[in-house]
């Protein structure tokens, strides 16, 4: 029985046995959708809904035609009329509809609601029908929302957290003002122990409601928030036990340990970016301190960097406490200096407050008092003073700390940590302390790939990590110890779908907490570029002047968030760590992402008018795909592949992309091409069959490239099928360019198979079309191909005339000559063949050398390889074997850089002959074996004939004992058989040199 399936949620679709059915006009769809939902309707009812402006007779006539067309398209009589005035769906058929299934049991069928009812569906001049659609949309949406709330509440309560966030986000996208969505999310975070996320969600909701509606969250939402606050306060009172894995910093640890144990008032600075392991190294160092060592620590915070002496106040309070505990008398001037600045130091339970003192600070006296206090403690105990994150220490505190370190000579060690971000006061401190040999500076960098792998293996000795996953770990963490530690935690769960967790998110969030809005907005824009953001595009996107943008970038560089890369024509801006970019990008709404990605793609698209490049194509694919524009993404995937194949697989390409970047590589491997074709076909599959002309043109382009590639690779049957399909479809669309391209591929196929008879038919058809279209340059190419045809039939005089005419067509201007340089070179190559056939070897060599000169530096490697082979053959014929070998080796050096074996059997055959002459028989046997392998795959009779010719020559000249020793596995026939085979395969008009020597 036939199965009909209809989707009414999201974009409506009608399927018969899994195949989508498309109806001629929308009112047929409207009839079917209305009938499916209502099951039983009258003709008058539906006719008045769909054709309200028509009289009854016309409306019913239109209805009868719509019913007829619906049945005709489906091929199944699924609409019944039990009475003349009514219509219904045939209940005996296997018909399913997502809306009906959802309506019958919404809890069991929640997943069927994939979008609003009849999303995007519209019919003109049917207001009542539109009202019905709107009413049903509201009905189903409300049913989905209420059911989703019930299910989510139950799942959260039961601890079933599968896709909870995703489902809540779906509800929020439907109604972003419904506070219930946020409460559900907060309950979920609370149940999973993520109280920090509860608070973040509450603050975001508060800000959103204030900005949009001018109200505050209700009491129920606030109660969830307050419960999390209480839980956090409770948790912070519990002592935290640290069981820390330490890796790879043992040289730095030894350096710091030496500085600490031998210190006489010296200092050390651990310097590196956030997450590089500064605090872990500090903790490991302090573990090595003696038990009776007094460690006093102070921390600087970004929020307090503008508060003078705040970290020093904390340090002094703790020094005062130690003095009190050790019952050491207070230093001179302690009361008159310290108490005035920090009056609450004696009561360590009170908060340290810096009073605004109207009297100027006596800096030297304060420094002297602190030094004296340190000296008193060091007389009783070994003292270590730790200052963390001094990049956020206020200027006064840094100057005071520097002064204290310079004045201290007792048994005390100052240990500081600083992030790698610009702070002129910290730089001055480093310079001053280094000058007086008072500082040991330890720079920490990220781990390299080898160290990263070692880190993972040591942290997870029981686990086997595949190389592919290890490479991904290094790519995503970039060797950052913090990210690696968190990745280890993820790997322990055996869930590697995402290598990012809440701790990473929180750490990254703190990096951006104190940035200004313009700085955050700039980071948002830069995050849309997966590698680096060109400054010119950032300026155009933001609408902010370049000078202002540069100022913001400088601030973010100083904060070690961004870095710059200079290029010839622009500046690239990128994040210092890929995880920072991922975090910023992840935090932005999908709707904004689609808009920004599309705008970036449009800006990049405009640059193609000036300069085409692979770099731009790859960016266009990424940005259009991210913008949800599948068609454009596929278009530029095709452009990318076409660009590669034009050079790697077109024998004589046109240099319409001659303005390549100097470092732009155009080689692509066979495996990569197959992968690209496979992925393109997968993404293309859903579009093929569409009535959209652009889709049809993309389809033609795709099969043209595929057919061209297969023909060049010797896979003729499938390749020819694709090219015939291209010609047929191009004729249907009257696309003369692709008709012409299809003809040319058929010509190239006949060149490869040495079939002159069929070749001339396509040449004449192509020439007629090129003349009609007034394509002068295509005429030049086709004249060359017609010249080749005349070589193939032995008419060398007409051939040379046509080839010369082809060259003259391209030499009209220097610009045209440069663009069509490879085509000019190809014509010279064929003239060289004529000279070679006439035994004018010097004339042939001159033509081949001219072709080579024109091709060098043009990236047309497959063309250049053919020219080198022919050049080598002419030198061989002339008896200049050393130069011939050089030419052949030049050809060999190119074959690894493009993915085609065209003419490789000829190269191997002649190299084998040269190696026999130099008595290198093993190499000769290897090359001859290779020649047989590739000639069979290419199915080129002339190439195979050349291999048979070489076999005959070797059997005829090499002694029997050497043949048995070195060539036994190569030959399975006698020399007479090889001579016969060679004469069968070689072309009497093009292979005279070989034939005359048989």
């Amino acid at each position: 029985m036939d199965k009909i399936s209809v989707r009414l949620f999201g974009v409506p679709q009608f399927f018969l046995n899994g195949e989508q059915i498309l109806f001629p006009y929308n009112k047929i769809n409207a009839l079917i959708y209305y009938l499916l939902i209502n099951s039983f309707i009258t003709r008058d009812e539906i006719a008045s809904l769909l054709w309200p402006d028509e009289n009854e007779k016309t409306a019913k006539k239109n209805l009868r035609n719509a019913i007829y067309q619906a049945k005709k398209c489906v091929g199944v009589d699924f609409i019944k009329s039990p009475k003349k005035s009514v219509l219904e769906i045939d209940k005996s058929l296997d018909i399913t509809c997502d809306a009906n299934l959802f309506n019958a049991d919404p809890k069991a069928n929640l997943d069927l609601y994939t979008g609003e009812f009849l999303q995007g569906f519209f019919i003109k001049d049917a207001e009542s029908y539109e009202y019905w659609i709107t009413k049903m949309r509201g009905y189903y949406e409300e049913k989905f929302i209420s059911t989703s709330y019930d299910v989510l509440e139950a799942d959260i309560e039961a601890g079933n957290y599968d896709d909870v966030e995703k489902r809540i986000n779906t509800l929020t996208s439907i109604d972003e003002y419904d506070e219930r969505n946020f409460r559900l999310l907060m309950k979920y975070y609370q149940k999973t122990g993520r109280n920090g996320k509860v608070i973040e969600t509450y603050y975001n909701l508060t800000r959103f409601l204030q900005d949009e509606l001018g109200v505050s969250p209700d009491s129920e939402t606030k109660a969830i928030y307050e419960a999390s606050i209480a839980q956090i306060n409770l948790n912070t009172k519990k002592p935290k036990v640290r069981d820390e894995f330490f890796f790879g910093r043992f040289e730095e640890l030894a350096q710091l340990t030496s500085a600490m144990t031998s210190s006489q008032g010296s200092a050390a600075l651990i310097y590196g970016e956030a997450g590089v392991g500064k605090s872990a190294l500090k903790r490991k160092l302090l573990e090595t301190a003696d038990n009776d060592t007094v460690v006093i620590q102070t921390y600087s915070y970004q929020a307090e960097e503008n508060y003078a002496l705040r970290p020093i106040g904390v340090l002094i309070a703790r020094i005062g406490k130690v003095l009190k505990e050790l019952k050491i008398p207070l230093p001179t001037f302690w009361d008159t200096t310290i108490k005035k600045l920090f009056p609450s130091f004696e009561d360590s339970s009170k908060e340290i407050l810096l009073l605004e003192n109207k009297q100027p600070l006596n800096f030297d006296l304060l420094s002297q008092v602190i030094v004296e206090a340190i000296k008193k403690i060091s007389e009783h105990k070994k003292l270590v003073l730790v200052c963390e994150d001094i990049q956020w220490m206020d200027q006064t505190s840094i100057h005071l700390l520097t002064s204290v370190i310079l004045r201290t000579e007792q048994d005390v060690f100052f240990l500081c940590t600083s992030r790698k971000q610009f702070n002129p006061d910290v730089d001055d401190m480093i310079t001053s302390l280094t000058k007086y040999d008072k500082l040991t500076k330890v720079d920490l960098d990220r781990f390299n790939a080898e160290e990263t792998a070692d880190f993972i293996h040591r942290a997870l000795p029981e686990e086997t990590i595949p190389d592919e996953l290890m490479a991904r770990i290094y790519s995503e963490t970039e060797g950052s110890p913090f990210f690696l530690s968190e990745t280890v935690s993820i790997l322990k769960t055996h869930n590697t779908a995402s290598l990012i967790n809440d701790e990473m998110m929180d750490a990254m969030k703190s990096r951006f907490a104190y940035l200004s809005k313009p700085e955050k907005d700039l980071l948002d824009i830069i995050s849309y570029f997966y590698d680096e953001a060109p400054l010119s595009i950032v300026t155009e996107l933001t609408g902010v002047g370049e000078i202002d943008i540069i100022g913001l970038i400088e601030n973010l560089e100083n904060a070690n968030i961004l870095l710059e890369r200079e290029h010839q024509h622009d500046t690239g801006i990128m994040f210092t760590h890929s995880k920072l970019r991922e975090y910023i990008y992840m935090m932005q709404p999908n709707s904004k992402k689609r808009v920004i990605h599309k705008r970036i793609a449009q800006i990049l698209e405009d640059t193609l008018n000036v300069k085409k490049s692979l770099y731009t194509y790859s960016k266009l694919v990424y940005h259009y795909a991210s913008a949800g524009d599948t068609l454009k993404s596929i278009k530029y995937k095709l452009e990318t592949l076409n660009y590669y194949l034009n050079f790697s697989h077109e024998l004589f390409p046109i240099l319409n992309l001659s303005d390549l970047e100097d470092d732009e590589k155009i080689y692509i491997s066979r495996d990569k091409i197959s992968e690209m074709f496979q992925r393109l076909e997968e993404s293309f599959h859903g579009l093929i069959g569409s009535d959209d002309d652009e889709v049809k043109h993309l389809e033609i382009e795709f099969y043209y490239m595929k057919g061209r590639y297969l023909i060049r690779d010797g896979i003729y049957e499938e390749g020819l099928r694709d090219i015939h399909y291209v010609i047929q479809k191009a004729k249907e669309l009257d696309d003369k360019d692709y008709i012409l391209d299809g003809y040319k591929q058929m010509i190239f196929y006949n060149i490869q198979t040495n079939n002159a008879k069929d070749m001339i038919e396509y040449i004449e058809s192509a020439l007629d079309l090129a003349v009609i279209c007034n394509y002068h340059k295509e005429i030049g190419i086709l004249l060359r191909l017609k010249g080749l045809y005349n070589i193939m039939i032995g008419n060398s005089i007409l051939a040379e005339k046509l080839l010369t005419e082809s060259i003259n067509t391209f030499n009209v201007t220097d610009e045209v000559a440069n663009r069509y340089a490879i085509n000019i070179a190809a014509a010279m190559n064929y003239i060289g063949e004529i000279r070679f056939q006439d035994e004018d070897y010097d004339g042939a060599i001159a033509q081949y050398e001219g072709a080579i000169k024109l091709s060098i530096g043009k990236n047309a490697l497959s063309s250049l390889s053919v020219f080198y082979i022919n050049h080598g053959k002419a030198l061989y014929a002339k008896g200049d074997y050393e130069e011939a070998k050089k030419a052949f080796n030049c050809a060999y050096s190119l074959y690894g850089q493009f993915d085609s074996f065209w003419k490789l059997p000829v190269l191997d055959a002649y190299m084998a002959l040269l190696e026999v002459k130099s008595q290198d028989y093993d190499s000769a046997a290897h090359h001859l074996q290779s020649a047989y392998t590739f000639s069979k795959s290419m199915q080129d009779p002339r190439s195979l004939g050349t291999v048979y010719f070489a076999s005959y020559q070797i059997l005829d000249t090499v002694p029997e004992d050497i043949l048995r020793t070195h060539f036994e596995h190569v030959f399975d026939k006698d020399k007479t058989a090889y001579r016969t085979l060679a004469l069968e395969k070689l072309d009497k008009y093009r292979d005279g040199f070989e034939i005359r020597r048989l």
Side-chain angles (χ1 to χ4, degrees), residues 402 424-437 439:
T402 306
D425 299 311
V426 172
D427 287 350
D428 290 344
M429 175 184 175
I430 293 170
T431 302
S432 298
L433 295 180
T434 303
K435 179 180 178 181
Y436 293 101
D437 200 23
L439 183 71

Side-chain angles (χ1 to χ4, degrees), residues 740-867:
L740 192 58
D741 285 338
Y743 287 157
K744 286 197 295 183
Q745 286 307 312
M746 294 306 299
I747 294 166
F748 294 143
Y749 159 70
N750 286 302
I751 292 171
Q752 286 185 206
T753 55
N754 205 40
N755 185 351
K757 180 183 175 183
D758 293 342
M759 177 179 167
I760 190 58
E761 293 180 16
Y762 285 106
I763 289 174
E764 296 297 351
S765 296
L767 267 171
D768 290 344
L769 184 57
V771 170
I772 291 169
C773 297
N774 202 24
Y775 289 168
H776 293 293
K777 305 306 176 292
E778 290 291 343
I779 292 170
I781 293 170
L782 292 164
L783 286 173
R784 168 173 60 80
L785 295 173
K786 194 168 183 179
L788 174 59
Y789 162 76
N790 279 278
I791 291 174
M792 292 166 70
I793 63 170
N795 193 346
S796 59
I797 295 173
L798 179 57
E800 186 164 348
K801 180 181 177 183
L802 289 165
L803 292 168
T804 304
E805 190 177 343
S806 172
I807 292 172
N808 292 337
T809 303
F810 297 128
N811 273 328
V812 288
T813 66
D814 289 342
E815 183 182 350
V816 171
N818 184 54
R819 187 181 178 199
Y820 289 86
I822 307 304
N823 281 271
I824 295 171
M828 294 177 71
N829 172 70
Y830 291 142
I831 293 173
E833 277 199 34
I834 294 171
R835 301 282 185 274
F836 185 72
Q837 185 73 1
D838 292 340
E839 300 184 66
D840 178 6
Y841 301 130
D842 288 329
I845 289 168
Q847 292 293 327
Y848 295 141
E849 287 178 349
I852 290 167
K853 185 177 179 181
L854 278 174
S855 305
I856 288 175
K858 298 294 193 303
N859 279 316
L861 304 182
S862 58
S863 310
L864 191 55
S865 67
V866 172
F867 304 153

Side-chain angles (χ1 to χ4, degrees), residues 241-523:
V241 178
R242 177 177 291 275
D243 181 16
E244 192 169 41
F245 170 69
F246 186 80
F247 170 84
R249 305 296 193 192
F250 294 103
E251 286 186 18
E252 293 87 347
L253 180 62
Q255 192 179 357
L256 290 168
T257 303
S258 173
M260 184 172 71
T261 54
S262 62
S263 73
Q264 288 295 318
S266 66
L269 174 65
I270 307 175
Y271 191 70
E273 67 180 5
V276 81
K278 301 183 297 296
S279 297
L281 181 57
K282 177 211 74 176
R283 287 190 292 270
K284 199 70 177 175
L285 174 67
L286 295 181
E287 285 176 14
T288 67
D290 297 334
N291 291 333
D292 62 343
T293 300
V294 174
V295 178
I296 297 175
Q297 298 195 62
T298 183
Y299 299 85
S300 301
Y301 300 99
Q302 190 169 8
E304 299 178 347
E305 61 183 331
N306 295 319
Y307 292 86
L309 292 176
R310 187 65 61 88
I312 292 295
V314 175
L315 193 67
I316 289 174
R318 291 174 181 170
I319 288 173
K321 185 178 179 182
V322 171
L323 288 168
K324 189 175 181 180
E325 288 174 354
L326 295 177
K327 298 179 181 180
I328 298 172
L330 296 175
T332 312
F333 303 116
W334 183 271
D335 288 337
T336 57
T337 305
I338 301 299
K339 281 188 178 180
K340 284 183 180 180
L341 279 172
F342 310 101
S344 58
F345 87 94
E346 290 188 58
D347 186 354
S348 59
S349 66
K350 295 181 181 178
E351 183 182 2
I352 300 298
L353 295 173
L354 175 63
L355 299 179
E356 294 298 333
N357 197 319
K358 294 181 181 179
Q359 299 299 320
L361 174 67
N362 190 330
F363 192 87
D364 286 340
L365 181 59
L366 180 58
S367 174
Q368 183 180 329
V369 170
I370 296 172
V371 169
E372 188 177 345
I374 290 171
K375 179 180 179 182
K376 285 178 175 289
I377 296 172
S378 66
E379 288 172 354
H380 296 81
K381 297 277 187 178
K382 170 75 176 181
L383 181 61
V384 176
L385 295 173
V386 181
C387 300
E388 285 244 44
D389 287 325
I390 64 170
Q391 78 278 354
W392 289 325
M393 189 177 274
D394 63 277
Q395 184 183 56
T396 307
S397 292
I398 291 176
H399 291 174
L400 185 57
L401 180 61
T402 306
S403 175
V404 169
I405 295 172
L406 288 171
R407 292 182 178 197
T408 302
E409 295 183 359
Q410 287 72 32
D411 192 12
V412 60
F413 179 60
F414 296 87
L415 178 62
C416 304
T417 67
S418 174
R419 288 190 184 181
K420 190 181 285 186
Q421 63 185 57
F422 179 70
N423 185 321
D425 299 311
V426 172
D427 287 350
D428 290 344
M429 175 184 175
I430 293 170
T431 302
S432 298
L433 295 180
T434 303
K435 179 180 178 181
Y436 293 101
D437 200 23
K438 282 280 205 172
L439 183 71
T440 300
K441 184 167 177 272
V442 174
D443 290 287
L444 296 186
D445 295 315
R446 300 173 192 171
F447 296 132
N448 59 31
E450 185 179 344
E451 291 166 337
T452 296
D454 196 15
F455 181 104
I456 298 295
H457 289 314
R458 288 176 184 269
L460 299 169
E462 305 296 324
E463 299 288 338
T464 301
I465 309 296
D467 291 342
E468 185 179 345
L469 177 57
M470 191 66 78
R472 182 178 155 213
I473 290 169
Y474 180 67
S475 173
E476 295 200 18
T477 65
E478 296 181 0
S480 165
F482 170 74
F483 290 134
L484 283 172
S485 298
E486 297 305 326
T487 300
V488 167
S489 301
I490 295 170
L491 292 173
K492 286 178 180 177
T493 69
H494 301 284
N495 178 17
T496 58
S498 173
L499 296 181
I500 188 166
N501 62 13
D502 295 335
E503 285 75 11
M504 293 186 192
M505 297 284 283
D506 291 341
M508 287 184 284
K509 186 176 180 181
S510 68
R511 294 287 298 274
F512 309 112
Y514 296 95
L515 298 179
S516 66
K517 187 177 185 305
E519 288 169 341
K520 288 179 180 177
D521 290 343
L522 178 61
L523 291 180

